[in-house]
Amino acid sequence: MADTMISAFESSLDKTNLILKDIESAYGWPKERRNQSYAALRTVLHLLRDRLPVNESVEFAQQLPVLVRGIYFDGWNPSDVPIKLNRDDFLYEVRQGFPYDVQGGPERVAQVVLDTLRRHVTQGEWQDVKDTMPKDLATMLP
């Protein structure tokens, strides 16, 4: 049983590292900039989570690796969601939560993370997420 738990943890860690590497690859960042890829992932995950209705948020999270799911739910208060954010509000909040200056600014940060997340969940679940977004924000989702 302990071996199974270690294996599950290692698998989740591997999947999380793959997501972070995908973000780094999109920017051409070396692994030494892992704090930036983590900050980008965390910021966009939290904004996405807070914009989704509770049931959809939970369904989306079920497709994330356990470690990323923990990041996703960290600090979540389901009684406060969904928070109404349009595209401009979303990008403003990305800028507030991501303290690094990078090429393309908050729009590029959001796009890179959203593109990465899209590759790690099913098409059907991603479509469900898009369907809950206002039109101007849904256009950012691949």
Side-chain angles (χ1 to χ4, degrees):
M1 174 118 146
D3 288 343
T4 303
M5 291 174 70
I6 290 171
S7 178
F9 178 77
E10 288 174 350
S11 175
S12 179
L13 185 59
D14 289 344
K15 290 174 184 177
T16 300
N17 278 324
L18 181 60
I19 290 170
L20 294 171
K21 286 177 188 177
D22 284 354
I23 294 168
E24 292 158 3
S25 176
Y27 271 106
W29 293 340
K31 186 177 179 180
E32 292 75 30
R33 292 177 77 176
R34 180 63 45 102
N35 284 343
Q36 283 184 229
S37 57
Y38 170 76
L41 177 63
R42 180 182 175 87
T43 298
V44 174
L45 275 175
H46 283 189
L47 289 168
L48 194 60
R49 171 202 72 192
D50 291 346
R51 181 62 187 89
L52 293 171
V54 172
N55 288 344
E56 186 55 43
S57 188
V58 171
E59 289 174 16
F60 173 72
Q62 289 173 336
Q63 295 199 7
L64 301 173
V66 172
L67 187 54
V68 176
R69 197 175 315 147
I71 296 165
Y72 182 80
F73 284 122
D74 184 43
W76 188 47
N77 186 348
S79 64
D80 292 343
V81 299
I83 296 172
K84 301 298 180 191
L85 295 172
N86 62 30
R87 184 179 187 279
D88 291 339
D89 296 334
F90 191 90
L91 292 173
Y92 173 81
E93 293 299 331
V94 169
R95 183 65 193 128
Q96 297 308 302
F98 184 77
Y100 303 96
D101 288 322
V102 295
Q103 185 178 5
E107 187 164 355
R108 176 82 172 126
V109 170
Q111 197 62 62
V112 164
V113 174
L114 293 169
D115 287 347
T116 299
L117 290 171
R118 168 56 204 104
R119 290 191 301 274
H120 293 273
V121 301
T122 65
Q123 177 63 36
E125 184 55 44
W126 193 253
Q127 190 60 50
D128 289 348
V129 168
K130 282 181 79 166
D131 290 346
T132 67
M133 297 291 151
K135 288 182 183 182
D136 69 333
L137 188 52
T139 61
M140 291 183 61
L141 278 71

